[in-house]
Amino acid sequence: MAKQASTLFLEEWLRSISGCSSNVNSTNSSSSSARAIIQAWAELRDSLQNQSFQPHHLQSLKTLLNSQTSLHVADPQAKIVLSILSSPHISLPNESYPLFLRLLYIWVRKSFKPSLVLIDSAVEVLSHLFNAQFDSRKSPLLFSEGVLLLGAFAFVPSLSEDSKTVCLDMLCRLLEEEYRLIGSSGEHISDVLAGIGYALSSSVNVHYVRILDSLLGIWGKEDGPCGSITHGLMILHLIEWVLSSLINIRCFEKINVFAREALETLKANYVPFAIVMAAAGVLRVVNRSKMNGLGLDTVSKLRGSAEDRVESFARDIISRNGFTNADNDPTRSLLLQCISLALARSGLVSSRAPLLMCLASALLNEIFPLRHLYTKVLDFPHRNSARLGHDEVKKHLESVLFKEAGAITSVFCNQYVSVDVESKGVVENLIWDYCQDIYLGHRQVALMLRGKENELLGDTEKIAESAFLMVVLFALAIMKHKFNSKSTQETQWDVSVHILVSFSCLEYFRRIRLPEYMDTIRGVVASVQGNESACVSFVESMPSYTDMTNGTNFSLSQKVEYVWSNDDVQTARILFYLRVIPTCIEHVPCLTLRKVVAPTMFLYMGHPNGKVARASHSMFAAFMSSGKDLDQDERVSLKEQLVFYYMQRSLSGYPAITPFKGMASGVAALVRNLPAGSPAIFYCIHSLVEKGSTLCGETFAQEADLSRNRQGDSDACKKILELLLRLISLVDIQVLPNLMKLLAQLIVQLPKVSQNMVLNELYSQVAESDDVTRKPTLVSWLQSLSYLCAQATSESATSKGVQKEVNMTSARSTDSLGLTRLNARL
């Protein structure tokens, strides 16, 4: 809150702090020059002397008010204004009266010590204006300026009590009899509230309750102003301003009256949203107040009354309507929004279950109203309707409520920690269900809007991104609370699974690196890893293969073809599972792996997004490396079965889709972890050689040079060869002979330059090897392979002869010089 001393114009401060734009009477962007201001005052003096008011005099008034912030109105100038207003010979246009009143307002607010005689004269002028002449000049602007000026006069410390009483009486009568003028023009509500604020802060107690009745009850009157978030925030900060003034001057009598009338007594004509925001203003003040003695007792009692009143409304709204607004009741929505904003701006508030429930309802239905928006978007039959929906989304993004979502979420998490267990459980389930609904809803909306209404889709996703942040912060609060409290391990496992599933549903909206997200993930994953049932529960929450490929659960009225690989929302969710499941795959039983994990893993190996495909290969590698401490038979059997399909799936998409690094990690994992001599390893090697032969045959049909052509199939062939060479040091001794035989068959098909490259790589690899078991065999094989490559390129060699030599277990070179050179390198 701004310092009280610097709040010259209360109405401007209210507009600013509530996020409301200035109206015509506040500071304009263009201000008049000093010369123009002097000339304007001169023309007004001429008007008084000539007893005539012409159109250019009206323009002079507007010139003065264009510089409200810098304009200073002294007593002589105020006297000119009062003389013009009270002159029976000057006929003033109705438009001029609000402008004259604004000048008097500037005078009384900016003058250090305004003339009390002039104020008394001004009160007489206003009395005549609002009693005898008001009906003929009635307008919302004149009404609001009158309330503002009367309140400002009553706030002048040195003014007599009689004059203050007259001002307050007129102000009350205006509010009670002419309140309909506010409803016709909401833009002037800040002026009216500022006038009420000045009046409530007056040093006299006369009409105090009447003024409170207008402040808190005027919104419910027929043809009165309609309540809104902006008005509610103005009430909140108005009460903050008033009570701060009363506490500073230790006016405890008025504070007690306020507590009794506004908080402790539930009057039928008081409007709930106004009371809630007034209570928030009280809490905002008492949270900053440093009192002792009698003042401390008063402030403590005030705090309790304010919290009790907000809680009573929260309990009522949940008991009546539950957590959803099925009837789209605007009154309920406004109250929910005000309660959430009130708690966000109040500061420290005691934890109470009804407050937590209301905050949950407000966050899920009012602040992040995605379910409502999805329903609306999916029901749009025409583009014009979509445009209207986009306008609603834009308006929500710019609203104060959405901008304060972070503060409201913080209060929500703080409230959660200290309420009872039952209430915690209810709210947790609301959040988990919300995440599921957003996942399903956004999948359909994205499919419907992408490429057609991208701007609407993007703005909707901005709301969803903020909702994701809210869920992350809430999940972190749950984890910290339950993992550090007396919660049972079963409870911790259950919460961990719910958090992981919810995060997966909203993974699509994770656009930034968020420390809170990573902290939560690490915590819950560590919890899940230690329990098989928790691991299984998480894995089985993954969408089924049928759902993923057929778009099950979609209720699109329009005819849109569903392609699983284009479903970015689903892909993001599955990517989350592909990254998390490997961390706990040791504890996932074979049946679950076979029925749930394997179909998804193999499906997404064929995803065009390389990041997703790599994650699928990493999943396979993690599975092949798992199970070392478990019963091996069933797990090994499943591993061997999956290898056959893995190689088919990987190589059929290579190099167009399958990422080489992902496939290489999977192959390395399977040859390391399958039993020695496993048929699956033989099949893997055979498949790689066959794929390499096909690629190399296509690429080097015209004796293309592998070293010069590194793109496309040639690059893919080179990588296959590199993988096969790497396997020489990885496969077990039982498989090695077969690998050497098949690799030799592939190498002899290569052009001479490519053969030399491969042989050089083999020379280095074998020379650097310290494996005493396989090195002698590799040396002999490499000698034979070198000979075969020489034979394959000679004119006398035939393909049949070369093939026969490849199948030999050993070969001798007749080139003694070459053999000596080879042995030296090895």
Side-chain angles (χ1 to χ4, degrees):
M1 175 180 170
K3 293 181 179 179
Q4 301 299 325
S6 63
T7 312
L8 286 174
F9 301 119
L10 180 56
E11 75 285 359
E12 286 189 358
W13 181 71
L14 290 177
R15 283 195 292 266
S16 173
I17 204 166
S18 63
C20 180
S21 58
S22 300
N23 63 21
V24 293
N25 289 327
S26 59
T27 307
N28 287 331
S29 57
S30 61
S31 58
S32 305
S33 65
R35 177 176 294 181
I37 291 174
I38 293 171
Q39 181 62 34
W41 281 120
E43 291 181 356
L44 289 179
R45 279 193 295 270
D46 291 341
S47 171
L48 179 60
Q49 291 174 359
N50 298 327
Q51 295 290 293
S52 174
F53 195 89
Q54 302 300 323
H56 67 278
H57 295 131
L58 182 62
Q59 186 58 46
S60 297
L61 279 175
K62 294 179 180 179
T63 299
L64 292 173
L65 293 175
N66 280 341
S67 300
Q68 173 173 317
T69 301
S70 58
L71 181 66
H72 183 81
V73 181
D75 287 353
Q77 294 159 329
K79 188 174 182 179
I80 293 173
V81 172
L82 290 172
S83 298
I84 293 175
L85 283 173
S86 60
S87 174
H89 306 294
I90 299 178
S91 177
L92 296 174
N94 291 341
E95 185 182 356
S96 69
Y97 284 95
L99 305 181
F100 280 120
L101 297 190
R102 175 61 63 159
L103 285 176
L104 292 175
Y105 173 67
I106 296 171
W107 161 62
V108 76
R109 290 301 295 148
K110 284 194 171 184
S111 295
F112 176 71
K113 193 175 181 181
S115 169
L116 300 182
V117 175
L118 283 179
I119 294 180
D120 287 337
S121 298
V123 171
E124 291 182 11
V125 171
L126 291 177
S127 179
H128 180 71
L129 177 63
F130 289 115
N131 289 331
Q133 301 177 355
F134 186 66
D135 288 342
S136 61
R137 298 179 173 86
K138 188 181 297 185
S139 72
L141 183 57
L142 180 59
F143 169 82
S144 60
E145 292 293 338
V147 172
L148 180 64
L149 183 56
L150 289 168
F153 282 161
F155 188 59
V156 175
S158 55
L159 190 64
S160 67
E161 288 199 11
D162 289 341
S163 295
K164 289 184 179 182
T165 301
V166 173
C167 290
L168 295 177
D169 182 66
M170 279 195 287
L171 183 143
C172 288
R173 284 192 288 109
L174 279 176
L175 291 173
E176 292 164 357
E177 298 173 5
E178 307 294 346
Y179 65 87
R180 292 178 179 82
L181 292 172
I182 311 176
S184 63
S185 181
E187 64 178 319
H188 304 298
I189 195 69
S190 58
D191 298 324
V192 175
L193 291 178
I196 291 174
Y198 290 133
L200 290 174
S201 303
S202 174
S203 59
V204 297
N205 296 332
V206 181
H207 304 311
Y208 188 79
V209 175
R210 288 178 66 189
I211 299 171
L212 272 180
D213 288 345
S214 292
L215 173 64
L216 301 177
I218 199 171
W219 316 94
K221 292 185 177 181
E222 186 179 358
D223 298 327
C226 296
S228 69
I229 282 290
T230 301
H231 297 162
L233 288 173
M234 287 183 183
I235 294 172
L236 187 158
H237 293 290
L238 176 69
I239 296 302
E240 174 192 9
W241 188 87
V242 170
L243 288 182
S244 294
S245 300
L246 297 179
I247 288 175
N248 287 339
I249 62 175
R250 305 183 72 82
C251 186
F252 298 127
E253 181 182 355
K254 274 192 173 182
I255 294 175
N256 290 328
V257 172
F258 176 87
R260 184 182 67 251
E261 296 294 327
L263 303 175
E264 297 169 7
T265 304
L266 187 58
K267 295 187 176 181
N269 61 313
Y270 283 7
V271 179
F273 94 91
I275 302 175
V276 165
M277 297 311 260
V282 170
L283 293 172
R284 189 173 171 88
V285 171
V286 299
N287 279 325
R288 289 198 322 270
S289 178
K290 297 179 180 179
M291 302 292 292
N292 51 39
L294 178 61
L296 180 60
D297 292 339
T298 301
V299 168
S300 298
K301 181 181 178 183
L302 196 60
R303 171 192 289 279
S305 298
E307 289 185 347
D308 290 345
R309 179 52 62 211
V310 177
E311 181 188 8
S312 69
F313 283 118
R315 182 184 294 108
D316 182 66
I317 198 171
I318 293 300
S319 63
R320 285 173 178 266
N321 305 98
F323 296 98
T324 59
N325 190 9
D327 299 329
N328 295 319
D329 182 5
T331 301
R332 180 185 186 275
S333 291
L334 176 60
L335 185 54
L336 268 179
Q337 293 169 14
C338 285
I339 289 175
S340 59
L341 277 175
L343 295 174
R345 293 205 178 188
S346 294
L348 183 63
V349 180
S350 302
S351 295
R352 306 183 181 204
L355 300 184
L356 177 67
M357 302 292 187
C358 264
L359 286 170
S361 182
L363 284 166
L364 305 186
N365 298 297
E366 305 297 332
I367 301 170
F368 306 119
L370 291 168
R371 290 181 289 202
H372 165 71
L373 293 175
Y374 292 155
T375 300
K376 208 164 188 178
V377 168
L378 293 172
D379 287 343
F380 287 150
H382 305 297
R383 188 178 182 87
N384 289 339
S385 298
R387 182 71 259 170
L388 293 174
H390 194 193
D391 292 341
E392 180 180 348
V393 173
K394 283 280 190 187
K395 183 178 179 181
H396 185 75
L397 286 173
E398 296 168 359
S399 68
V400 175
L401 188 68
F402 182 72
K403 291 176 181 177
E404 299 227 5
I408 296 169
T409 299
S410 179
V411 177
F412 176 57
C413 294
N414 291 335
Q415 287 280 326
Y416 167 85
V417 172
S418 301
V419 299
D420 59 276
V421 175
E422 183 180 355
S423 299
K424 283 187 176 77
V426 171
V427 170
E428 288 169 16
N429 290 331
L430 287 174
I431 297 294
W432 311 147
D433 292 344
Y434 177 80
C435 293
Q436 294 277 358
D437 292 343
I438 299 315
Y439 167 70
L440 294 174
H442 202 81
R443 284 180 67 195
Q444 299 180 69
V445 167
L447 182 63
M448 174 183 173
L449 298 182
R450 184 165 288 117
K452 302 173 185 177
E453 293 287 345
N454 289 334
E455 190 177 1
L456 171 57
L457 179 60
D459 286 341
T460 303
E461 289 181 355
K462 290 178 183 178
I463 299 176
E465 288 170 25
S466 293
F468 165 77
L469 297 178
M470 179 271 293
V471 172
V472 169
L473 293 176
F474 179 66
L476 180 61
I478 294 176
M479 187 191 73
K480 286 182 175 180
H481 173 66
K482 294 201 171 180
F483 285 19
N484 293 326
S485 66
K486 297 180 180 179
S487 299
T488 63
Q489 278 197 323
E490 287 75 12
T491 299
Q492 294 177 8
W493 291 331
D494 181 66
V495 165
S496 297
V497 171
H498 275 110
I499 289 176
L500 287 174
V501 174
S502 298
F503 278 12
S504 76
C505 290
L506 301 184
E507 177 69 8
Y508 175 75
F509 308 108
R510 184 171 68 93
R511 309 292 169 82
I512 60 174
R513 295 185 64 86
L514 196 66
E516 293 84 353
Y517 173 84
M518 297 308 301
D519 291 344
T520 307
I521 286 288
R522 281 190 287 266
V524 296
V525 166
S527 173
V528 168
Q529 284 174 334
N531 180 258
E532 179 177 319
S533 63
C535 293
V536 171
S537 179
F538 170 63
V539 172
E540 291 183 344
S541 69
M542 187 163 48
S544 69
Y545 183 89
T546 302
D547 289 346
M548 288 186 288
T549 54
N550 297 331
T552 306
N553 297 324
F554 276 20
S555 57
L556 296 173
S557 57
Q558 67 283 357
K559 294 182 179 179
V560 180
E561 182 182 0
Y562 180 77
V563 180
W564 68 271
S565 59
N566 293 337
D567 190 343
D568 294 339
V569 181
Q570 175 178 268
T571 297
R573 185 180 188 194
I574 299 304
L575 181 58
F576 180 90
Y577 281 95
L578 294 175
R579 287 170 170 168
V580 175
I581 290 177
T583 65
C584 60
I585 203 165
E586 291 277 355
H587 300 282
V588 181
C590 288
L591 181 62
T592 304
L593 289 169
R594 183 191 303 273
K595 290 186 175 181
V596 180
V597 177
T600 300
M601 176 178 67
F602 287 126
L603 175 66
Y604 277 85
M605 280 181 188
H607 197 282
N609 186 310
K611 179 173 64 176
V612 178
R614 282 193 299 273
S616 298
H617 287 277
S618 297
M619 168 84 84
F620 177 80
F623 166 61
M624 298 305 296
S625 304
S626 70
K628 293 183 176 60
D629 299 327
L630 301 177
D631 181 17
Q632 292 291 299
D633 292 343
E634 184 180 2
R635 206 170 189 89
V636 169
S637 175
L638 178 60
K639 289 179 181 180
E640 293 188 328
Q641 292 174 36
L642 294 185
V643 165
F644 290 91
Y645 189 66
Y646 174 74
M647 296 309 302
Q648 294 172 16
R649 182 69 169 164
S650 298
L651 293 175
S652 65
Y654 182 78
I657 295 177
T658 302
F660 174 77
K661 289 185 177 179
M663 181 175 66
S665 67
V667 170
L670 73 90
V671 299
R672 282 193 179 106
N673 294 283
L674 288 180
S678 169
I681 301 179
F682 283 99
Y683 178 78
C684 169
I685 293 171
H686 176 80
S687 300
L688 286 171
V689 172
E690 186 177 32
K691 185 68 174 182
S693 178
T694 302
L695 291 173
C696 293
E698 295 173 354
T699 304
F700 303 115
Q702 303 299 325
E703 292 292 317
D705 189 353
L706 183 62
S707 63
R708 295 177 185 173
N709 184 4
R710 295 182 178 271
Q711 303 299 321
D713 288 344
S714 64
D715 192 45
C717 175
K718 180 174 180 290
K719 289 180 177 179
I720 289 288
L721 286 170
E722 290 175 350
L723 178 56
L724 288 168
L725 296 182
R726 181 186 174 197
L727 292 180
I728 289 175
S729 60
L730 294 180
V731 298
D732 62 88
I733 295 299
Q734 297 182 46
V735 179
L736 183 60
N738 182 261
L739 172 61
M740 293 189 298
K741 170 187 171 182
L742 294 175
L743 188 56
Q745 291 176 355
L746 175 59
I747 293 173
V748 296
Q749 299 176 26
L750 300 176
K752 183 62 177 177
V753 175
S754 301
Q755 288 179 353
N756 290 337
M757 288 178 58
V758 176
L759 290 174
N760 286 334
E761 178 64 29
L762 281 170
Y763 295 154
S764 299
Q765 185 173 330
V766 175
E768 295 171 1
S769 173
D770 55 2
D771 187 339
V772 296
T773 302
R774 68 179 71 199
K775 188 168 184 176
T777 303
L778 291 174
V779 171
S780 175
W781 171 72
L782 187 52
Q783 291 174 343
S784 301
L785 180 59
S786 179
Y787 170 76
L788 289 173
C789 287
Q791 289 295 100
T793 56
S794 67
E795 294 182 0
S796 60
T798 63
S799 59
K800 184 176 180 180
V802 171
Q803 182 65 35
K804 182 179 179 181
E805 293 291 332
V806 166
N807 292 329
M808 295 172 60
T809 59
S810 65
R812 296 180 180 179
S813 174
T814 58
D815 187 351
S816 59
L817 180 62
L819 182 58
T820 301
R821 184 166 56 248
L822 177 60
N823 285 330
R825 295 187 62 182
L826 296 176

